[in-house]
Amino acid sequence: MPGTTEDAPEPEKTPKAAERPTTGGKRTPQKRAVGRPRRLDPDTMVATARRIIEEEGVDALSMRRVAKELGSTPMALYHYVRDKDELLMLTLSGTADTFPRPPLPEDPRERLLAVAVHMHGILARIPWVLDVLALGELTDKNALWMVEEIVDAAITCGLSPARAVCAYRTIWSYVYGDLIFRRAAERRAGNPPSTRYFPEMITEEDAGALPRLAEVKDRWREYAASYEVAEQLDAIIDGLLGHGTRPARSADRPD
């Protein structure tokens, strides 16, 4: 067919650099061609960042590290993300969607408790997210349905919008703090310290200053083992909802 490469004259072949003779009949070594870094796949980039965080922690993540893992350059990454914070946001994106939403009760108080327990359960299974969330306002937008449900249930139970937001913050502080504590305890259990920590550090000599702790220290771990997150969240929610019957403070009053 006219215009195809079949009818085009065969181009004259140029010797490769490795085949070109130089003065004296010697051949020069072939030089490696310098080209652009290979094109990055955004999904692979995010998966690499997530793996680094999961295996080594958020402090190990940097644009340079991800670029090195991908055989690219930091500048190439900036074509896809503005900075490390945006890369962290992308690593969070979709994590909540990997966990199906549980069926929620109609009763607003029971719904509030169910969502809080579900939030704790999710984060317990993906603890690396705690390190990312600790950096500030980073979050997975797909997880905001839990915030919406908690605030809505609190308002339906009688809290003002201001107090509902504060209630969410209290619940979140408990969930986050409990998981951080649990992770630290697991780390210590895996590498028992040589130094005595609480409650073993309490001795009979401390009974005068710390009588209650001295009394329960030998059974502290037994008591702590019966700790139930849902039960404690239930008690916290009781206290939070009790605010709905108290006089409003300045935070609840319109300007």
Side-chain angles (χ1 to χ4, degrees), residues 24 39 52-53 55 57 62 65 74 86 88 90 95 98 110 114 125 135 142 161 181 191-192 199 204 215 225 240 255:
R39 187 176 182 84
I52 292 171
I53 297 173
E55 295 177 357
S62 68
R65 172 68 185 281
E86 185 173 357
L88 286 168
L90 291 173
T95 52
T98 61
E110 293 304 313
R125 294 169 64 181
L135 299 177
N142 295 320
F181 180 83
N191 299 282
E204 295 300 326
E215 178 186 349
L240 292 171
D255 295 334

Side-chain angles (χ1 to χ4, degrees), residues 202-215:
I202 299 175
T203 65
E204 295 300 326
E205 288 75 20
D206 298 314
L210 306 169
R212 289 300 186 191
L213 292 182
E215 178 186 349

Side-chain angles (χ1 to χ4, degrees), residues 5 44 49 55 63 76 97-98 116 164 167 187 201 225 229:
T5 54
T44 303
E55 295 177 357
M63 302 291 274
D97 279 349
T98 61
R187 192 180 300 118
M201 64 170 54
V229 169

Side-chain angles (χ1 to χ4, degrees), residues 62 65-67 95 97 133 142 179 196 222 224 227 241 244 250:
S62 68
R65 172 68 185 281
V66 175
T95 52
D97 279 349
L133 297 177
N142 295 320
L179 290 170
R196 289 194 305 173
E222 175 192 341
Y227 185 91
L241 296 184
S250 58

